[in-house]
Amino acid sequence: MRLILVDVDGTLTLDRDTYLLELDAIKALREIQKSGFKVGIVSGNSYPVLRALYTYLGFNGGIVAENGCVVYYEKLYEVCEKINKDLIAEFERLFNVKGSWQNVYKCCDLTFTPPYLTNEMVKWAKGRGLYIRTSGYAIHVSKSKKGKGDGVRFLISLLGVSKGDVIGIGDSSTDIEFLEEVGFKVVVGNGEEEVKKLGNYITREKSGKGVVEFVNKLIKGDIDGGIRGAGI
Ligand SMILES: O=C(O)COP(=O)(O)O
Ligand SMILES: [Mg+2]
């Protein structure tokens, strides 16, 4: 089996500062599903939000939610340690940020906006044995050191796919640990520079249009240096 895992915000959207989906990217991914690939989503968003999205988009390769802490494929799994939600009020008060409306639906990875990380926040998290990152959309606080990496590894093993048969597509530093777990790493053209350094393929186009560019090349068999068994 061949699997494509796609980040959501900044990757399936029109750009890195909007929630509007690039509909052509959805179309291209549905098309590649018809040729035998499975398509899954890997995101910092909460499970209910992603489960609805996954259902309405018609994908079939599973869900990694809460930055790797929650995994769904036929069944729901919590992969990380739960976080104490009293931290929401403390973090909001100390740093003048706002907890996401999705925090009530989360177990393990809490989010705050605006998405700008400060040294003081990093120090605060370290002092509490927590990990803190930014996706460009929000600040994420959890007990998970490996972020999306833990969830992606878990999903891949649930599906029984080998790492070499998995393609990952992302945009932000929260995708680094995710991309480290897959055989072929794609970064959208407007992605963060530190993520692009890891990429086997950097799209010319930004966000969702970049997904369209890559998937079309994959369908045509136009990608060099391919991944094992992926037909590229
Ligand atoms: O939850 C976020 O902050 C961003 O979500 P993403 O992981 O789909 O980019
Ligand atoms: Mg993203």
Side-chain angles (χ1 to χ4, degrees):
M1 187 214 300
R2 298 167 295 177
L3 174 68
I4 302 185
L5 296 176
V6 195
D7 168 65
V8 177
D9 296 7
T11 301
L12 270 188
T13 49
L14 299 176
D15 208 333
R16 297 194 65 226
D17 56 3
T18 172
Y19 295 107
L20 298 183
L21 292 171
E22 170 54 65
L23 300 180
D24 288 339
I26 312 305
K27 240 177 166 169
L29 289 165
R30 279 190 184 153
E31 204 50 44
I32 205 151
Q33 275 194 166
K34 285 192 204 143
S35 68
F37 276 87
K38 279 194 184 285
V39 176
I41 48 181
V42 176
S43 173
N45 284 287
S46 65
Y47 169 69
V49 164
L50 295 172
R51 177 70 188 276
L53 192 65
Y54 177 80
T55 305
Y56 284 102
L57 296 182
F59 294 160
N60 61 2
I63 300 168
V64 175
E66 292 199 39
N67 262 348
C69 286
V70 177
V71 175
Y72 171 80
Y73 187 74
E74 290 170 352
K75 250 177 75 181
L76 191 61
Y77 305 86
E78 277 179 14
V79 176
C80 305
E81 246 184 277
K82 283 194 166 41
I83 194 164
N84 177 358
K85 290 201 183 177
D86 293 346
L87 290 170
I88 297 174
E90 184 185 332
F91 196 73
E92 283 181 332
R93 181 170 40 81
L94 282 176
F95 299 108
N96 197 24
V97 291
K98 192 168 170 356
S100 163
W101 61 271
Q102 291 191 49
N103 283 342
V104 289
Y105 308 109
K106 291 181 159 196
C107 63
C108 309
D109 178 279
L110 303 173
T111 27
F112 302 86
T113 51
Y116 313 114
L117 210 53
T118 64
N119 289 336
E120 287 69 31
M121 290 176 183
V122 174
K123 243 166 69 197
W124 174 88
K126 216 170 171 185
R128 283 160 182 73
L130 301 169
Y131 295 90
I132 193 162
R133 7 171 105 76
T134 176
S135 65
Y137 281 76
I139 290 167
H140 291 254
V141 179
S142 77
K143 289 191 175 173
S144 166
K145 186 176 179 189
K146 284 290 284 171
K148 289 183 180 181
D150 282 337
V152 167
R153 202 171 339 101
F154 190 84
L155 176 64
I156 288 174
S157 73
L158 266 181
L159 287 163
V161 199
S162 58
K163 182 175 176 176
D165 290 334
V166 186
I167 297 171
I169 315 179
D171 72 309
S172 87
S173 57
T174 56
D175 296 316
I176 291 175
E177 293 105 332
F178 153 29
L179 294 175
E180 279 168 352
E181 297 296 330
V182 305
F184 195 83
K185 309 167 199 341
V186 181
V187 185
V188 290
N190 54 338
E192 285 175 45
E193 289 308 316
E194 60 168 327
V195 199
K196 285 188 186 173
K197 276 190 215 146
L198 291 179
N200 299 110
Y201 183 90
I202 315 298
T203 68
R204 259 186 289 276
E205 301 281 347
K206 66 183 181 184
S207 297
K209 286 281 187 227
V211 174
V212 176
E213 171 193 326
F214 174 75
V215 173
N216 284 342
K217 277 193 188 267
L218 194 57
I219 290 170
K220 283 196 209 133
D222 267 1
I223 303 282
D224 296 331
I227 74 165
R228 183 164 44 82
I232 54 175

